[in-house]
Amino acid sequence: MASCVRTLLKGGYLLTSRTPRVCHLPARSYAPARAQKKKEVKKEVEKEVKKEKRVIDDSARHKPYGLTAWAPVDDVYVARFYPRPVLAPAVALLRLKLYQELDATAPDQPVYIDLKLDMKLEKKKTVDAFVSTVQLPHSFSTGLNTVAVFTENPEQAQVAREQGAQFVGGPELVEQILEDEVSADFYISVPEMLPKIVPLKNKLRKKFPKSKRGSVGVNIPKMMAMFKTGFEYQVEKDCYVRTQIATLDMPTEHILANVKSILTDVCSHRPAEYGPFIERSILASHTSEALRFSSQEILQPPPADKS
């Protein structure tokens, strides 16, 4: 770009100045192209493969892995260095009764059963956590359960009241339950009432009547006999059953009968072709230590010798 030079004489000094030439350029009528960002190459994140817990069969070894021996050779030993003994059910109950006498605790304290279940089925399927009601041969509770019956049939309502139902009704009973005016231990219904009690699903949750649990049907006397004196238990934390089964002052035969009833009902929730359903079984009282026992001795007792 050319420029003109002007020379000025002022005070004996030579001054020069350069004046730029103004150029009129046309305005740009388009936007500049956006710089393209480099495409980031996404690295495939390798999925962490969870290693399955390997079950080590050490039955043929001279001692278990990580322990001192299979059984102590003395009366005084550190329990954590030896595997916990698995007792016969009758022996476990006798020990609980002995502990109660030595500790001078309440003789009518509750007896609990703790079961760990193998919920696996074929491939990746598992047994869903369930809630079940069973009739114990020897009840340890003094009162009866409160039962509510959903029916609009006057004859069925009369039968339910005669069988001992505390609450009987149709849509009006649904409203009372939603408003927390009525509460029961068990709820049973006839099939015709199921569409009308759907609003109670979130309220009752696991107590909502289901045909799978035997709380939906037309044989009201049979259902009342089941739930009026029935005992309910459920699977907790995916694979555990923890519930009371008796009191310690009951005869040993009665407690064993209740244990067998619970174990039989639990095993009915998975086909026998998948193997033993119960992985671990424990008996304990309110103030004693937990004792492992063999559930197979109750479910499949050894054949008696004919000699």
Side-chain angles (χ1 to χ4, degrees):
M1 182 183 295
S3 62
C4 59
V5 179
R6 292 181 299 174
T7 305
L8 299 176
L9 292 173
K10 188 176 180 181
Y13 293 96
L14 180 63
L15 301 178
T16 61
S17 64
R18 295 179 180 272
T19 303
R21 184 178 178 182
V22 179
C23 299
H24 299 282
L25 299 176
R28 186 170 56 187
S29 60
Y30 60 91
R34 180 179 295 179
Q36 295 182 355
K37 295 182 179 180
K38 295 182 180 180
K39 295 182 179 179
E40 297 180 357
V41 180
K42 295 183 179 180
K43 297 181 180 180
E44 296 182 358
V45 180
E46 296 181 358
K47 296 182 180 179
E48 296 181 359
V49 180
K50 293 184 179 180
K51 295 183 179 180
E52 295 184 358
K53 187 177 180 180
R54 188 177 62 174
V55 179
I56 301 175
D57 184 13
D58 53 4
S59 57
R61 298 184 77 247
H62 65 286
K63 67 175 183 178
Y65 284 101
L67 300 177
T68 302
W70 285 104
V73 295
D74 198 355
D75 294 338
V76 180
Y77 59 93
V78 181
R80 70 174 182 271
F81 293 153
Y82 300 90
R84 295 186 64 178
V86 179
L87 307 174
V91 175
L93 284 174
L94 290 177
R95 286 197 182 184
L96 293 181
K97 290 179 178 290
L98 178 61
Y99 295 157
Q100 179 270 322
E101 294 178 0
L102 295 176
D103 297 339
T105 54
D108 59 346
Q109 58 185 289
V111 178
Y112 301 98
I113 191 170
D114 186 339
L115 305 176
K116 182 180 180 182
L117 308 180
D118 181 11
M119 308 292 280
K120 294 180 181 178
L121 293 174
E122 58 183 3
K123 296 182 180 179
K124 295 183 179 180
K125 296 182 179 180
T126 58
V127 179
D128 296 331
F130 54 87
V131 180
S132 184
T133 304
V134 62
Q135 286 282 354
L136 295 179
H138 307 281
S139 177
F140 57 87
S141 59
T142 55
L144 298 176
N145 301 321
T146 57
V147 183
V149 181
F150 296 103
T151 180
E152 291 180 312
N153 189 323
E155 296 180 358
Q156 293 177 338
Q158 181 63 27
V159 172
R161 292 189 182 93
E162 292 175 355
Q163 295 296 324
Q166 283 77 7
F167 309 102
V168 182
E172 71 281 359
L173 181 58
V174 175
E175 293 297 330
Q176 292 176 353
I177 296 174
L178 290 174
E179 295 176 1
D180 294 329
E181 297 178 1
V182 171
S183 178
D185 296 323
F186 295 97
Y187 299 86
I188 63 178
S189 173
V190 295
E192 295 79 9
M193 281 294 298
L194 287 180
K196 299 180 181 180
I197 64 174
V198 171
L200 293 176
K201 269 195 171 182
N202 293 334
K203 183 75 174 179
L204 301 182
R205 296 188 179 183
K206 293 184 178 180
K207 292 185 178 182
F208 188 82
K210 294 181 180 179
S211 56
K212 187 177 180 180
R213 294 180 55 194
S215 54
V216 176
V218 295
N219 193 343
I220 293 180
K222 181 180 178 180
M223 292 190 295
M224 284 297 303
M226 176 66 181
F227 292 100
K228 188 168 60 174
T229 58
F231 178 75
E232 185 180 69
Y233 69 91
Q234 63 181 356
V235 176
E236 304 173 356
K237 297 182 180 179
D238 297 332
C239 64
Y240 293 96
V241 174
R242 300 184 177 102
T243 184
Q244 182 182 355
I245 56 167
T247 55
L248 199 56
D249 58 346
M250 293 173 60
T252 302
E253 296 78 13
H254 292 183
I255 301 177
L256 289 176
N258 287 355
V259 172
K260 183 177 181 179
S261 180
I262 291 288
L263 296 181
T264 304
D265 189 77
V266 167
C267 292
S268 66
H269 288 83
R270 194 182 79 157
E273 61 188 22
Y274 294 104
F277 191 24
I278 301 174
E279 290 186 347
R280 185 210 64 200
S281 49
I282 292 176
L283 279 176
S285 63
H286 191 65
T287 59
S288 74
E289 64 176 292
L291 300 176
R292 291 192 179 185
F293 72 96
S294 174
S295 59
Q296 293 300 319
E297 289 193 20
I298 295 181
L299 296 173
Q300 298 176 356
D305 295 335
K306 297 182 180 180
S307 58

PDB file of all heavy atoms in Angstrom, residues 69-85:
ATOM      1  N   ALA A  69      -7.218 -78.826  61.905  1.00  0.00           N
ATOM      2  CA  ALA A  69      -7.566 -80.238  61.751  1.00  0.00           C
ATOM      3  C   ALA A  69      -9.073 -80.339  61.602  1.00  0.00           C
ATOM      4  O   ALA A  69      -9.810 -79.354  61.730  1.00  0.00           O
ATOM      5  CB  ALA A  69      -7.074 -81.052  62.949  1.00  0.00           C
ATOM      6  N   TRP A  70      -9.522 -81.562  61.323  1.00  0.00           N
ATOM      7  CA  TRP A  70     -10.961 -81.765  61.174  1.00  0.00           C
ATOM      8  C   TRP A  70     -11.681 -81.691  62.512  1.00  0.00           C
ATOM      9  O   TRP A  70     -12.821 -81.227  62.593  1.00  0.00           O
ATOM     10  CB  TRP A  70     -11.233 -83.119  60.520  1.00  0.00           C
ATOM     11  CG  TRP A  70     -10.953 -83.133  59.054  1.00  0.00           C
ATOM     12  CD1 TRP A  70      -9.883 -83.683  58.419  1.00  0.00           C
ATOM     13  CD2 TRP A  70     -11.762 -82.539  58.037  1.00  0.00           C
ATOM     14  NE1 TRP A  70      -9.966 -83.481  57.064  1.00  0.00           N
ATOM     15  CE2 TRP A  70     -11.116 -82.778  56.792  1.00  0.00           C
ATOM     16  CE3 TRP A  70     -12.954 -81.831  58.030  1.00  0.00           C
ATOM     17  CZ2 TRP A  70     -11.621 -82.338  55.580  1.00  0.00           C
ATOM     18  CZ3 TRP A  70     -13.470 -81.389  56.822  1.00  0.00           C
ATOM     19  CH2 TRP A  70     -12.816 -81.640  55.614  1.00  0.00           C
ATOM     20  N   ALA A  71     -11.033 -82.138  63.567  1.00  0.00           N
ATOM     21  CA  ALA A  71     -11.662 -82.129  64.890  1.00  0.00           C
ATOM     22  C   ALA A  71     -10.574 -81.954  65.942  1.00  0.00           C
ATOM     23  O   ALA A  71      -9.443 -82.430  65.766  1.00  0.00           O
ATOM     24  CB  ALA A  71     -12.437 -83.421  65.130  1.00  0.00           C
ATOM     25  N   PRO A  72     -10.871 -81.269  67.032  1.00  0.00           N
ATOM     26  CA  PRO A  72      -9.866 -81.099  68.091  1.00  0.00           C
ATOM     27  C   PRO A  72      -9.634 -82.412  68.830  1.00  0.00           C
ATOM     28  O   PRO A  72     -10.507 -83.285  68.894  1.00  0.00           O
ATOM     29  CB  PRO A  72     -10.499 -80.043  69.001  1.00  0.00           C
ATOM     30  CG  PRO A  72     -11.969 -80.169  68.763  1.00  0.00           C
ATOM     31  CD  PRO A  72     -12.127 -80.568  67.331  1.00  0.00           C
ATOM     32  N   VAL A  73      -8.449 -82.547  69.390  1.00  0.00           N
ATOM     33  CA  VAL A  73      -8.099 -83.759  70.135  1.00  0.00           C
ATOM     34  C   VAL A  73      -8.153 -83.516  71.632  1.00  0.00           C
ATOM     35  O   VAL A  73      -7.856 -84.419  72.417  1.00  0.00           O
ATOM     36  CB  VAL A  73      -6.689 -84.244  69.731  1.00  0.00           C
ATOM     37  CG1 VAL A  73      -6.685 -84.669  68.267  1.00  0.00           C
ATOM     38  CG2 VAL A  73      -5.647 -83.162  69.976  1.00  0.00           C
ATOM     39  N   ASP A  74      -8.531 -82.312  72.035  1.00  0.00           N
ATOM     40  CA  ASP A  74      -8.571 -81.972  73.450  1.00  0.00           C
ATOM     41  C   ASP A  74      -9.882 -81.253  73.747  1.00  0.00           C
ATOM     42  O   ASP A  74     -10.580 -80.800  72.843  1.00  0.00           O
ATOM     43  CB  ASP A  74      -7.376 -81.084  73.809  1.00  0.00           C
ATOM     44  CG  ASP A  74      -7.116 -81.067  75.315  1.00  0.00           C
ATOM     45  OD1 ASP A  74      -7.931 -81.663  76.041  1.00  0.00           O
ATOM     46  OD2 ASP A  74      -6.126 -80.463  75.744  1.00  0.00           O
ATOM     47  N   ASP A  75     -10.209 -81.125  75.031  1.00  0.00           N
ATOM     48  CA  ASP A  75     -11.429 -80.433  75.421  1.00  0.00           C
ATOM     49  C   ASP A  75     -11.285 -78.917  75.343  1.00  0.00           C
ATOM     50  O   ASP A  75     -12.283 -78.202  75.265  1.00  0.00           O
ATOM     51  CB  ASP A  75     -11.830 -80.827  76.849  1.00  0.00           C
ATOM     52  CG  ASP A  75     -12.231 -82.290  76.937  1.00  0.00           C
ATOM     53  OD1 ASP A  75     -12.590 -82.852  75.886  1.00  0.00           O
ATOM     54  OD2 ASP A  75     -12.175 -82.864  78.035  1.00  0.00           O
ATOM     55  N   VAL A  76     -10.062 -78.425  75.400  1.00  0.00           N
ATOM     56  CA  VAL A  76      -9.806 -76.991  75.357  1.00  0.00           C
ATOM     57  C   VAL A  76      -9.112 -76.679  74.032  1.00  0.00           C
ATOM     58  O   VAL A  76      -8.026 -77.201  73.761  1.00  0.00           O
ATOM     59  CB  VAL A  76      -8.932 -76.538  76.546  1.00  0.00           C
ATOM     60  CG1 VAL A  76      -8.688 -75.036  76.479  1.00  0.00           C
ATOM     61  CG2 VAL A  76      -9.587 -76.921  77.862  1.00  0.00           C
ATOM     62  N   TYR A  77      -9.737 -75.837  73.217  1.00  0.00           N
ATOM     63  CA  TYR A  77      -9.176 -75.512  71.906  1.00  0.00           C
ATOM     64  C   TYR A  77      -9.762 -74.185  71.437  1.00  0.00           C
ATOM     65  O   TYR A  77     -10.770 -73.699  71.969  1.00  0.00           O
ATOM     66  CB  TYR A  77      -9.479 -76.616  70.887  1.00  0.00           C
ATOM     67  CG  TYR A  77     -10.948 -76.879  70.684  1.00  0.00           C
ATOM     68  CD1 TYR A  77     -11.668 -76.228  69.675  1.00  0.00           C
ATOM     69  CD2 TYR A  77     -11.635 -77.775  71.498  1.00  0.00           C
ATOM     70  CE1 TYR A  77     -13.018 -76.459  69.492  1.00  0.00           C
ATOM     71  CE2 TYR A  77     -12.984 -78.012  71.323  1.00  0.00           C
ATOM     72  CZ  TYR A  77     -13.668 -77.355  70.319  1.00  0.00           C
ATOM     73  OH  TYR A  77     -15.009 -77.581  70.142  1.00  0.00           O
ATOM     74  N   VAL A  78      -9.118 -73.589  70.443  1.00  0.00           N
ATOM     75  CA  VAL A  78      -9.596 -72.344  69.836  1.00  0.00           C
ATOM     76  C   VAL A  78     -10.563 -72.713  68.721  1.00  0.00           C
ATOM     77  O   VAL A  78     -10.182 -73.377  67.751  1.00  0.00           O
ATOM     78  CB  VAL A  78      -8.422 -71.507  69.298  1.00  0.00           C
ATOM     79  CG1 VAL A  78      -8.936 -70.199  68.691  1.00  0.00           C
ATOM     80  CG2 VAL A  78      -7.423 -71.217  70.412  1.00  0.00           C
ATOM     81  N   ALA A  79     -11.805 -72.285  68.843  1.00  0.00           N
ATOM     82  CA  ALA A  79     -12.862 -72.759  67.946  1.00  0.00           C
ATOM     83  C   ALA A  79     -12.627 -72.353  66.500  1.00  0.00           C
ATOM     84  O   ALA A  79     -12.987 -73.093  65.581  1.00  0.00           O
ATOM     85  CB  ALA A  79     -14.213 -72.238  68.426  1.00  0.00           C
ATOM     86  N   ARG A  80     -12.008 -71.181  66.273  1.00  0.00           N
ATOM     87  CA  ARG A  80     -11.869 -70.710  64.894  1.00  0.00           C
ATOM     88  C   ARG A  80     -10.857 -71.518  64.088  1.00  0.00           C
ATOM     89  O   ARG A  80     -10.770 -71.365  62.873  1.00  0.00           O
ATOM     90  CB  ARG A  80     -11.478 -69.234  64.887  1.00  0.00           C
ATOM     91  CG  ARG A  80     -10.079 -68.926  65.369  1.00  0.00           C
ATOM     92  CD  ARG A  80      -9.760 -67.450  65.163  1.00  0.00           C
ATOM     93  NE  ARG A  80      -8.403 -67.102  65.569  1.00  0.00           N
ATOM     94  CZ  ARG A  80      -8.048 -66.721  66.778  1.00  0.00           C
ATOM     95  NH1 ARG A  80      -8.972 -66.638  67.733  1.00  0.00           N
ATOM     96  NH2 ARG A  80      -6.789 -66.419  67.064  1.00  0.00           N
ATOM     97  N   PHE A  81     -10.076 -72.366  64.749  1.00  0.00           N
ATOM     98  CA  PHE A  81      -9.096 -73.182  64.035  1.00  0.00           C
ATOM     99  C   PHE A  81      -9.670 -74.514  63.563  1.00  0.00           C
ATOM    100  O   PHE A  81      -8.959 -75.304  62.943  1.00  0.00           O
ATOM    101  CB  PHE A  81      -7.877 -73.449  64.919  1.00  0.00           C
ATOM    102  CG  PHE A  81      -7.074 -72.206  65.219  1.00  0.00           C
ATOM    103  CD1 PHE A  81      -6.312 -72.108  66.369  1.00  0.00           C
ATOM    104  CD2 PHE A  81      -7.084 -71.134  64.338  1.00  0.00           C
ATOM    105  CE1 PHE A  81      -5.577 -70.972  66.637  1.00  0.00           C
ATOM    106  CE2 PHE A  81      -6.354 -69.988  64.598  1.00  0.00           C
ATOM    107  CZ  PHE A  81      -5.595 -69.904  65.753  1.00  0.00           C
ATOM    108  N   TYR A  82     -10.942 -74.762  63.848  1.00  0.00           N
ATOM    109  CA  TYR A  82     -11.559 -76.037  63.492  1.00  0.00           C
ATOM    110  C   TYR A  82     -12.917 -75.774  62.846  1.00  0.00           C
ATOM    111  O   TYR A  82     -13.582 -74.777  63.148  1.00  0.00           O
ATOM    112  CB  TYR A  82     -11.739 -76.922  64.736  1.00  0.00           C
ATOM    113  CG  TYR A  82     -10.443 -77.240  65.443  1.00  0.00           C
ATOM    114  CD1 TYR A  82      -9.965 -76.415  66.457  1.00  0.00           C
ATOM    115  CD2 TYR A  82      -9.697 -78.358  65.090  1.00  0.00           C
ATOM    116  CE1 TYR A  82      -8.769 -76.694  67.103  1.00  0.00           C
ATOM    117  CE2 TYR A  82      -8.504 -78.647  65.733  1.00  0.00           C
ATOM    118  CZ  TYR A  82      -8.045 -77.812  66.737  1.00  0.00           C
ATOM    119  OH  TYR A  82      -6.862 -78.095  67.368  1.00  0.00           O
ATOM    120  N   PRO A  83     -13.360 -76.640  61.950  1.00  0.00           N
ATOM    121  CA  PRO A  83     -14.689 -76.445  61.341  1.00  0.00           C
ATOM    122  C   PRO A  83     -15.790 -76.604  62.382  1.00  0.00           C
ATOM    123  O   PRO A  83     -15.664 -77.399  63.325  1.00  0.00           O
ATOM    124  CB  PRO A  83     -14.753 -77.546  60.273  1.00  0.00           C
ATOM    125  CG  PRO A  83     -13.773 -78.582  60.720  1.00  0.00           C
ATOM    126  CD  PRO A  83     -12.671 -77.841  61.423  1.00  0.00           C
ATOM    127  N   ARG A  84     -16.858 -75.833  62.198  1.00  0.00           N
ATOM    128  CA  ARG A  84     -17.968 -75.920  63.145  1.00  0.00           C
ATOM    129  C   ARG A  84     -18.657 -77.267  62.996  1.00  0.00           C
ATOM    130  O   ARG A  84     -18.967 -77.706  61.878  1.00  0.00           O
ATOM    131  CB  ARG A  84     -18.966 -74.793  62.893  1.00  0.00           C
ATOM    132  CG  ARG A  84     -18.400 -73.417  63.144  1.00  0.00           C
ATOM    133  CD  ARG A  84     -19.466 -72.361  63.019  1.00  0.00           C
ATOM    134  NE  ARG A  84     -20.491 -72.519  64.039  1.00  0.00           N
ATOM    135  CZ  ARG A  84     -21.526 -71.693  64.187  1.00  0.00           C
ATOM    136  NH1 ARG A  84     -21.672 -70.665  63.363  1.00  0.00           N
ATOM    137  NH2 ARG A  84     -22.422 -71.890  65.132  1.00  0.00           N
ATOM    138  N   PRO A  85     -18.920 -77.941  64.092  1.00  0.00           N
ATOM    139  CA  PRO A  85     -19.546 -79.266  63.994  1.00  0.00           C
ATOM    140  C   PRO A  85     -20.996 -79.165  63.532  1.00  0.00           C
ATOM    141  O   PRO A  85     -21.707 -78.209  63.853  1.00  0.00           O
ATOM    142  CB  PRO A  85     -19.456 -79.800  65.427  1.00  0.00           C
ATOM    143  CG  PRO A  85     -19.390 -78.574  66.285  1.00  0.00           C
ATOM    144  CD  PRO A  85     -18.640 -77.550  65.486  1.00  0.00           C
TER     145      PRO A  85
END
